[in-house]
Amino acid sequence: MSLRIPVLAVFFMMLAAPLQAASGEALPDAAPVLESALETAPVDIDGQLLFKVRGVSSFPAEERAQAIRRRIEKVAADLSFPSDGLSTEVVENVTMIMAGETTLMIVSEADARLEHTSRDHLATLNLIRIQRAIDEYRQSRRNDVMLKAGLYGAGATALLALGIAVLLVLNRWLDKALSHVLESRVHAVGIQSFEIVRSETIWKTFHGLMLVIGVATIVVSAYAYLHYVLALFPWTRSLSNGLFIIAAGAVERMGKSVGAMIPDILILAIIYYLSRFVLRRTQRFFDAMAQKRVTFAQFEPEWALPTYKLVRVLIVAFALIVAYPYIPGSESAAFKGISIFIGLVISLGSSTAISNLIAGYLMTYRRVFKVGDRVKVGEVIGEVIAIRLQVTHLRTVKNEEVTIPNSQILNGDVTNFSSMAGTRGLILHTTVGIGYETPWRQVEALLRMAAERTLGVLREPQPFILLIKLGDFAVTYELNVYIHDPHLIARIYADLHRHILDVFNEYGVQIMTPAYEGDPDQPKVVPREQWYTAPASPDERKASSTTDDRP
């Protein structure tokens, strides 16, 4: 029984709390919150703020402020009524500020709570402000004050006109003086003989800058003039205050914007200089690898430059990702829209470029070929003169430059004549058809003799001969020789064929290639005494043997 009494007491106390709130005890705490959310409007006379008043649904704050202002101006315009004749009168739960029999405004308890003071105190303060406003209203409209304001306005107008004239003359004089001083020092900006920016363009830009400075100075002077002159007269004083508020608001917004951007700009500067530092150190590291001052196993020095370019792209991309949130305006819809548009254009238009780029790196790391190699790509044979990330440049034996996309090279067959020529040697081969009546041992000996006479053919490994076909009319022999320099292929072939003709003619063996229809009475050979029949001369053989097929 003793335990039930405390439990019931706690239960009734919990019920009592909501009942107390419902009974109205919580209203005083909530009232300031509700009142602070009410709309207010300023009451100003000649651009000077007196106080703010609140409104109700049936009488909005703006209409109430306009009515109070009109009544105060009407009383102020009546010079027969003294300003110290204002009084307050309490009627029920409001206080009225009276000007004789005219009610200027009513101060209620709600108005007092809005200002966090008592009703009587607020009424007294408002009365003092109204009295001061009436005195200033009458003072500013006196004849001597108006005359003085007019003189000041005329003086300010004359001063503005004089200042604009002086600014125009000074701007023109300064422009001529600087032009005379800097005329011999400003030249066109260009690269070698190509002018990027002409000197006339630089001068036009300079003159335009001087003009902009002059116009900006005149605009600022006109603004200061309007602000001063409009403040001289009571009817335009509110316009003067409006101009000041506009300018102050613009400066404040600009200051806040710049102040908000300063931390982001500092972070962007740190990211920029840190990325620049990393890029420089990375470039020096890969330059050392290219110069073989730093070596790694299974890493070729030729890979240093393309690897640096790839690492540089990754570093720059990472820096941009980190810096993106700190770029001013990056959160705006316009910035995001432009970014999406640029990304879409790049993704749609760069598929081929990206495939060529990837193919270029794959070719580099797969060691397909290097600059200086003699290669065959498709139907094109030439020397590699440049390997770019997008394309590869070949120079043919006819001194023609052929540009081949890297993706085409990666997807096709590539024959590299230089990769093994320096070590195992490159094999050149040619075929001849000789009749069955000629012993094959003699033919092979003649072919070896022709190979020995040819410059550029290696003695080791020795040339070898294959009998590749027993034809209807002749036996086809294939001569294979080794060379080290693939750039001399055309010359060695030509020289080898000359020596084959000479050797077979020298020993009276007829070459039956490609075929014949009957045996002639005499072998079709050229006697030695006719080898240099005019206009040929013995010197031509020596000249032809030194010919190089390099362009």
Side-chain angles (χ1 to χ4, degrees):
M1 190 71 178
S2 60
L3 292 175
R4 293 180 180 178
I5 296 176
V7 173
L8 292 174
V10 173
F11 177 73
F12 283 116
M13 290 175 64
M14 293 175 63
L15 290 177
L19 293 176
Q20 290 178 358
S23 63
E25 294 180 6
L27 290 178
D29 295 335
V33 178
L34 296 175
E35 291 172 358
S36 62
L38 293 176
E39 181 184 3
T40 60
V43 178
D44 55 352
I45 303 296
D46 290 343
Q48 295 185 359
L49 178 65
L50 300 183
F51 42 77
K52 292 183 179 181
V53 295
R54 56 172 287 176
V56 293
S57 58
S58 60
F59 195 26
E62 185 65 29
E63 295 183 8
R64 183 184 178 193
Q66 292 285 348
I68 294 173
R69 182 179 60 81
R70 286 194 296 267
R71 289 194 289 266
I72 294 175
E73 289 180 348
K74 183 177 180 181
V75 172
D78 186 4
L79 299 180
S80 61
F81 182 82
S83 60
D84 55 358
L86 300 179
S87 61
T88 59
E89 181 178 346
V90 179
V91 178
E92 295 182 357
N93 59 345
V94 298
T95 301
M96 298 187 298
I97 300 178
M98 308 292 295
E101 299 297 329
T102 304
T103 301
L104 296 182
M105 70 172 297
I106 298 175
V107 180
S108 64
E109 292 291 344
D111 294 329
R113 285 197 298 271
L114 182 65
E115 299 291 342
H116 303 288
T117 185
S118 63
R119 188 185 66 192
D120 295 337
H121 185 255
L122 179 61
T124 303
L125 291 178
N126 288 348
L127 185 143
I128 295 173
R129 292 171 184 169
I130 293 173
Q131 183 177 0
R132 188 183 305 164
I134 292 174
D135 292 336
E136 293 178 357
Y137 183 92
R138 294 172 177 176
Q139 177 69 20
S140 62
R141 286 166 174 77
R142 289 172 47 188
N143 293 332
D144 55 340
V145 174
M146 296 297 296
L147 179 60
K148 184 177 180 181
L151 293 176
Y152 281 156
T157 304
L159 185 62
L160 176 65
L162 179 62
I164 292 176
V166 170
L167 284 174
L168 292 176
V169 174
L170 181 62
N171 183 272
R172 186 177 302 174
W173 175 83
L174 183 62
D175 184 61
K176 290 183 178 179
L178 292 178
S179 300
H180 179 71
V181 172
L182 301 177
E183 184 176 3
S184 60
R185 301 182 182 180
V186 176
H187 304 283
V189 178
I191 300 176
Q192 298 180 2
S193 61
F194 175 71
E195 290 186 352
I196 299 177
V197 181
R198 302 180 61 184
S199 58
E200 293 82 0
T201 305
I202 298 176
W203 277 114
K204 288 181 180 179
T205 304
F206 176 76
H207 292 319
L209 180 62
M210 296 297 296
L211 180 61
V212 169
I213 294 175
V215 172
T217 305
I218 293 175
V219 170
V220 172
S221 302
Y223 172 82
Y225 163 78
L226 290 175
H227 177 67
Y228 174 75
V229 172
L230 293 177
L232 293 175
F233 303 97
W235 303 282
T236 58
R237 194 168 295 150
S238 60
L239 297 177
S240 174
N241 294 337
L243 289 177
F244 177 77
I245 292 173
I246 292 173
V251 172
E252 181 182 4
R253 288 192 297 271
M254 292 177 60
K256 289 182 178 180
S257 300
V258 173
M261 287 190 299
I262 288 177
D264 294 341
I265 293 175
L266 292 177
I267 294 175
L268 290 175
I270 293 173
I271 294 174
Y272 169 76
Y273 285 106
L274 183 60
S275 303
R276 187 177 178 183
F277 173 80
V278 173
L279 285 174
R280 286 183 175 179
R281 294 299 179 271
T282 305
Q283 183 180 11
R284 291 182 180 178
F285 174 75
F286 282 103
D287 287 343
M289 295 182 66
Q291 298 170 6
K292 299 183 180 180
R293 291 187 285 112
V294 177
T295 58
F296 291 97
Q298 305 299 324
F299 192 92
E300 299 293 334
E302 293 80 7
W303 297 352
L305 181 58
T307 305
Y308 165 69
K309 292 180 179 180
L310 182 61
V311 173
R312 180 178 61 184
V313 172
L314 295 178
I315 293 174
V316 173
F318 178 77
L320 290 176
I321 292 173
V322 175
Y324 180 84
Y326 303 100
I327 299 176
S330 60
E331 298 298 328
S332 63
F335 192 93
K336 294 179 180 178
I338 293 175
S339 302
I340 294 174
F341 176 75
I342 294 175
L344 182 62
V345 170
I346 293 176
S347 62
L348 293 178
S350 62
S351 57
T352 304
I354 293 175
S355 63
N356 288 329
L357 183 67
I358 296 175
Y361 276 106
L362 291 178
M363 288 166 46
T364 300
Y365 294 114
R366 288 184 179 181
R367 307 179 186 178
V368 177
F369 46 70
K370 61 181 182 296
V371 175
D373 285 354
R374 175 61 62 89
V375 298
K376 178 181 179 182
V377 181
E379 299 297 328
V380 180
I381 300 177
E383 178 186 351
V384 180
I385 58 176
I387 302 175
R388 311 295 184 190
L389 291 179
Q390 296 285 337
V391 296
T392 298
H393 298 266
L394 301 182
R395 182 173 57 198
T396 67
V397 294
K398 303 300 183 182
N399 205 24
E400 301 166 337
E401 182 175 343
V402 181
T403 302
I404 304 176
N406 289 334
S407 60
Q408 179 179 338
I409 298 175
L410 191 64
N411 295 327
D413 296 330
V414 178
T415 303
N416 193 333
F417 301 105
S418 302
S419 59
M420 303 182 69
T423 56
R424 299 182 180 181
L426 177 65
I427 298 177
L428 302 185
H429 63 277
T430 185
T431 59
V432 292
I434 308 298
Y436 284 95
E437 70 278 3
T438 305
W440 63 267
R441 294 175 181 85
Q442 181 187 14
V443 175
E444 291 187 0
L446 294 175
L447 291 175
R448 289 191 183 93
M449 185 181 299
E452 291 175 359
R453 294 181 181 182
T454 304
L455 295 178
V457 174
L458 301 179
R459 300 298 178 261
E460 291 293 337
Q462 294 182 357
F464 61 93
I465 300 157
L466 301 175
L467 277 70
I468 60 175
K469 185 179 180 181
L470 299 175
D472 294 336
F473 306 102
V475 180
T476 303
Y477 297 84
E478 181 184 81
L479 173 62
N480 296 269
V481 298
Y482 290 87
I483 67 170
H484 274 324
D485 192 350
H487 299 91
L488 302 178
I489 292 177
R491 185 196 67 79
I492 294 175
Y493 263 128
D495 203 10
L496 181 62
H497 291 155
R498 293 190 187 103
H499 288 300
I500 290 174
L501 290 174
D502 287 345
V503 169
F504 278 75
N505 286 327
E506 183 178 347
Y507 286 89
V509 177
Q510 180 177 349
I511 298 176
M512 310 299 292
T513 303
Y516 68 97
E517 296 181 359
D519 291 325
D521 295 334
Q522 298 293 331
K524 296 296 184 179
V525 296
V526 179
R528 178 184 289 272
E529 59 272 11
Q530 298 180 10
W531 285 5
Y532 302 104
T533 303
S537 65
D539 296 334
E540 289 187 0
R541 179 175 180 179
K542 182 177 179 180
S544 63
S545 64
T546 59
T547 303
D548 192 348
D549 63 324
R550 299 189 190 187

